[in-house]
Structures are given as structure tokens and as C-alpha cells.
Amino acid sequence: MNAWYVVYTQPQSERRALHHLGKQGYETYFPSYRKIRRHARREKEVEAPLFPRYLFVRLELSSQKWQAINHTRGVNRLIGLNGEPAPLPEGAVEEIQARQDDTGMIEMAEPEFEKGRPYRIGNGPFEDLTGIFAERIDKHRVVLLLNLLGRQIRIDAPVRALIPAV
């Protein structure tokens, strides 16, 4: 029976492992998503692995020589128990694939915000300050109300920087 298995790769070698496993005839899947990378106050949308250092390979253990996977360039090892690869639950990879958009990227769920709920800012100039959610501006930005210098100030904050305050 064909099943999906997990391959643990060497650091930053997912693409190398995919290439070499593909050349050996294995069916592979490497889910990725779009994330914002900040550098020198500039933001750029880049492709990032959904599970860094992990990818999936579909195998038929009884007919395929799976041991070769552990000796493939870019691969650290096939994840398993007692020397045998451990299959993923049926439908697990298909569930991830179902979240792909037209470009093959995984669509990340949009966070839900509650008006009046406190959120801590995780990075940026207002890092570690807590504000009250006021409204959503667009997909990437929200308005928070911060108490600064004895008065309430409205600031625009990036969605990805907010952490629910406890």
C-alpha cells in the first residue's frame, strides 16, 4: 500500500533532497507558503518551507528500496520507529495539499481579532507594548489603541507582529 512518509533533511537542504529523490523516481511533496521577510526596514514576500527540514515522500515499502533515501544527498534520514519508516496517517498530506492556492503555495489562515481584546506587539518600534484591538485596516495591518504618555494613541500595526495578551 502506498503511504506518505516523512524525510528529515540536512539544514537548508530541502530543495537538494527533493531534486535527488526525484531523480531516483520517488514521489515527493514539499509544502511552502509566502512569508514576509524584513531586512533593512524593507519588506519582501518570500517562499518559505511550511515545515523547515522536513518533506514528504510516497512509498510502497514492499516494492521500493526505501533504504536508499537515507543515503540521498540533502537527506539526513527517513523518520521511523525501530528501523522501519513510520507512515503518516492516511489523508494527512492530502489535507495539506488541499490548502494550496493556484501557485502551489499553502494558504495560511487569517488570524481573527476581537474588538476590545488586548494584544502584545511582538516586534518593531512598539515591541512588548500591549494595545487594544480597534479595527482591521486590510489583510496585513490593524489599528491598536496604546496608552502612551498618559493618553490613548491609535497606531497601525502589522498583523504578523501581534500576539494575544494574557
Side-chain angles (χ1 to χ4, degrees):
M1 175 183 101
N2 264 349
W4 286 102
Y5 295 84
V6 179
V7 174
Y8 183 60
T9 69
Q10 295 168 352
Q12 299 179 0
S13 295
E14 299 95 345
R15 299 265 178 225
R16 172 187 277 181
L18 277 174
H19 173 75
H20 289 287
L21 289 169
K23 283 177 64 174
Q24 294 175 57
Y26 293 107
E27 181 184 351
T28 58
Y29 178 59
F30 179 56
S32 56
Y33 72 103
R34 284 180 201 83
K35 79 173 192 175
I36 303 293
R37 177 173 290 152
R38 288 189 63 180
H39 179 69
R41 296 188 188 201
R42 292 183 185 213
E43 291 184 352
K44 181 179 181 182
E45 196 172 83
V46 296
E47 181 179 341
L50 188 61
F51 307 109
R53 294 192 68 184
Y54 293 92
L55 56 93
F56 305 104
V57 62
R58 188 189 292 269
L59 296 172
E60 174 59 58
L61 286 186
S62 62
S63 63
Q64 286 182 291
K65 296 184 179 196
W66 59 267
Q67 294 89 344
I69 291 173
N70 289 332
H71 304 288
T72 300
R73 284 186 181 183
V75 171
N76 191 317
R77 69 181 181 279
L78 194 57
I79 302 296
L81 298 169
N82 302 322
E84 291 282 317
L88 287 171
E90 191 172 322
V93 170
E94 291 77 8
E95 192 173 312
I96 296 168
Q97 289 172 325
R99 295 188 62 190
Q100 287 182 179
D101 64 15
D102 296 339
T103 64
M105 296 286 147
I106 301 298
E107 288 283 333
M108 301 303 283
E110 285 292 315
E112 291 294 321
F113 294 99
E114 287 180 44
K115 193 170 189 159
R117 183 170 180 196
Y119 289 88
R120 186 173 61 81
I121 301 171
N123 60 35
F126 298 107
E127 185 172 359
D128 289 330
L129 293 179
T130 300
I132 304 298
F133 175 76
E135 64 182 289
R136 188 154 197 151
I137 298 171
D138 59 29
K139 183 177 179 180
H140 303 289
R141 302 200 65 76
V142 298
V143 172
L144 283 184
L145 304 174
L146 295 179
N147 285 317
L148 293 174
L149 305 172
R151 60 181 222 186
Q152 197 170 61
I153 299 172
R154 292 173 57 93
I155 65 157
D156 291 357
V159 167
R160 68 184 176 287
L162 300 184
I163 303 161
V166 212

